[in-house]
Amino acid sequence: MSLPRALEIQIENLIQKLKRRQIVGSFFVARETAFILRQVVSISRWRDAHVLIDIVTQIGNRLAAAQPNELAIGNIVKRVLKVIREVSRGELDDNERNEKITLTPDDIEEDSEEEDSEEEGGFVTAASDERRPDLSTQTSMFRLLADMSTLSTKEQKRLENEKRIRDTYNLKPLIIQEITDEIIADLDTKDTASIYKGIADQALDFIHANEVIMTIGISRTVQEFLVRAAQKRKFQVIVAETAPTYQGHEMALSLSKAGIDTTVIADSAIFAAMPRVNKVVLGAHAVLANGALVSVSGSHLLAAAAKHHSTPVLVCTALYKLSPLFAYVADAFNVTVSPQNVLSFQEGSIIDDVAITNPYYDYVGPDYVSLFIHNLGSAPPTYVYRLINDNYDPEDSSLL
């Protein structure tokens, strides 16, 4: 597979940014992946949809290999592949419908009336001649194209090439338009609010007056969800500080600026504070096929405490985070980062005597989650498989 040089440079630049973690976060990774795949469809040379699918798959594998833990890469690639398959199938169906002409009962009645008028008056009007389709020419052409056995091998190849070029010419703008409307429109920086609007609009259905909500880490999806509820309801939010990154401090500051009564607690106090909590609201880095989620470190502790006290756990996530993959090992999609924030390298000789692991994510099983709130509605963990079937093609489930 040879790509134009300019496109290959863009792909390599994105791969290097992913390897160096210069692009971090599901949203930004998904957006950059969608942009580069749209460029692939637009610039690369392909004869038919099958060739394009192979090109997109190979590039998707390269991007996913650069940062395997960013599941949003594979999700966007699979969505683009589904768009290509749907557009190609729809375009082929349209071509077949255009080539075949069928007579309806109304057409038959019009023809019989015209024949009667010919017998009675001896002539027909010009308008009736215009309405009458030229069946003989189009039918014979269709038969000529259909019966390839009567043509020579050279003629068959010529007709196949012409049809392939015609299909490519018709498919490319349709695929680009669908990728722009279905995927990039929700990820474009100028319209980022559209991703969160569908989730935030449901806030009043789940957050009620005088409730106590607990969350952990910082998530723009959760932030927009709570801020929207605070416009009509008065409630309190408890934020776990999420050591050692202390993302909870930033989350608490943004919520307090929105006028929400916010309290920051240490992660070790989560279980003690849970009895007075009405709901737990979590963000997600990725949602897996079995209804589990990968979220910020400490989420499993919060969800386990909520389950022990029978407190419902709501997960706010966009549909592009849905992944058709399974985590056969709990740490399969985790990332370990520098232990500098846990134990400084300047602590002295103790560094040589201890092994420090600083995981960035937690795996939260589906039995800890009560409901997923996404931009098109809400669904329990047992319904995630249906959402995945709606967003991805079964032929692509084993890719990436």
Side-chain angles (χ1 to χ4, degrees):
M1 177 190 67
S2 60
L3 298 174
R5 180 174 176 79
L7 179 59
E8 186 66 36
I9 292 175
Q10 293 181 34
I11 296 172
E12 282 299 325
N13 289 338
L14 178 57
I15 289 175
Q16 293 303 320
K17 289 180 180 180
L18 291 172
K19 288 182 177 180
R20 297 168 183 165
R21 293 191 65 81
Q22 294 176 340
I23 303 176
V24 181
S26 299
F27 171 79
F28 299 104
V29 171
R31 186 184 66 184
E32 294 299 325
T33 303
F35 284 158
I36 199 68
L37 292 182
R38 183 174 63 177
Q39 287 290 94
V40 169
V41 175
S42 177
I43 299 177
S44 62
R45 298 176 181 177
W46 44 278
R47 297 173 298 174
D48 51 39
H50 298 290
V51 176
L52 179 60
I53 288 173
D54 292 339
I55 294 174
V56 171
T57 302
Q58 292 180 31
I59 294 175
N61 285 324
R62 292 172 59 188
L63 296 176
Q67 194 55 255
N69 295 303
E70 290 291 353
L71 301 184
I73 298 174
N75 299 343
I76 294 298
V77 172
K78 293 182 181 71
R79 288 191 65 180
V80 170
L81 290 175
K82 181 177 175 64
V83 167
I84 295 172
R85 295 181 193 279
E86 288 183 341
V87 172
S88 63
R89 291 166 185 165
E91 182 68 15
L92 291 176
D93 291 343
D94 291 341
N95 289 340
E96 290 178 0
R97 283 195 295 269
N98 291 334
E99 290 176 353
K100 296 178 182 179
I101 297 179
T102 57
L103 291 178
T104 63
D106 296 335
D107 296 331
I108 297 175
E109 292 179 0
E110 290 179 1
D111 292 341
S112 61
E113 291 176 359
E114 291 173 358
E115 291 176 358
D116 294 340
S117 64
E118 288 180 356
E119 294 176 356
E120 294 176 359
F123 64 94
V124 294
T125 62
S128 64
D129 288 338
E130 293 176 357
R131 288 197 306 268
R132 185 189 300 275
D134 189 5
L135 293 179
S136 60
T137 303
Q138 297 188 19
T139 304
S140 61
M141 180 60 68
F142 174 74
R143 289 176 180 174
L144 177 63
L145 294 175
D147 189 10
M148 302 294 290
S149 60
T150 61
L151 302 176
S152 64
T153 304
K154 185 176 180 181
E155 191 71 14
Q156 290 180 15
K157 291 182 179 180
R158 185 182 66 80
L159 292 175
E160 289 175 358
N161 289 334
E162 289 180 357
K163 185 177 184 301
R164 186 180 295 113
I165 294 172
R166 184 173 64 253
D167 291 342
T168 303
Y169 181 80
N170 294 333
L171 285 177
K172 180 172 287 189
L174 294 177
I175 294 174
I176 294 174
Q177 186 65 35
E178 284 296 314
I179 293 175
T180 303
D181 295 343
E182 298 293 330
I183 303 175
I184 295 180
D186 291 336
L187 299 171
D188 195 359
T189 307
K190 296 177 294 185
D191 197 26
T192 51
S194 63
I195 297 179
Y196 310 103
K197 186 177 183 301
I199 299 175
D201 288 345
Q202 305 175 62
L204 295 178
D205 297 333
F206 299 100
I207 306 297
H208 304 95
N210 301 320
E211 284 190 332
V212 178
I213 311 298
M214 182 178 286
T215 187
I216 190 171
I218 183 168
S219 168
R220 183 175 176 183
T221 312
V222 174
Q223 178 184 336
E224 295 280 347
F225 184 78
L226 296 176
V227 169
R228 178 65 62 85
Q231 295 177 357
K232 297 289 183 68
R233 308 270 166 81
K234 186 174 179 60
F235 54 91
Q236 181 184 0
V237 177
I238 299 175
V239 183
E241 63 180 2
T242 325
T245 59
Y246 300 103
Q247 299 176 4
H249 293 180
E250 186 178 350
M251 181 70 165
L253 179 61
S254 62
L255 293 178
S256 61
K257 287 182 178 179
I260 301 175
D261 184 7
T262 308
T263 303
V264 179
I265 63 172
D267 297 337
S268 58
I270 288 177
F271 193 87
M274 188 58 67
R276 54 190 296 257
V277 173
N278 300 106
K279 289 185 182 71
V280 171
V281 181
L282 295 176
H285 173 70
V287 178
L288 305 180
N290 61 342
L293 67 136
V294 180
S295 188
V296 67
S297 181
S299 299
H300 184 271
L301 169 65
L302 181 56
K307 182 179 180 180
H308 180 81
H309 290 89
S310 300
T311 302
V313 176
L314 309 180
V315 178
C316 298
T317 181
L319 287 177
Y320 70 85
K321 295 183 180 181
L322 294 179
S323 175
L325 302 178
F326 291 88
Y328 297 103
V329 181
D331 294 331
F333 303 110
N334 210 337
V335 179
T336 54
V337 295
S338 171
Q340 170 69 21
N341 295 328
V342 179
L343 186 64
S344 175
F345 293 109
Q346 301 174 353
E347 293 293 335
S349 59
I350 190 175
I351 294 294
D352 298 329
D353 300 328
V354 296
I356 303 171
T357 301
N358 185 15
Y360 194 82
Y361 297 117
D362 265 354
Y363 173 85
V364 182
D367 51 332
Y368 293 102
V369 180
S370 304
L371 194 70
F372 286 101
I373 304 174
H374 55 83
N375 44 314
L376 297 181
S378 58
T382 54
Y383 195 77
V384 169
Y385 79 95
R386 186 64 180 271
L387 296 175
I388 290 175
N389 289 338
D390 292 340
N391 284 273
Y392 308 118
D393 194 282
E395 297 183 29
D396 306 322
S397 59
S398 60
L399 299 177
L400 308 178

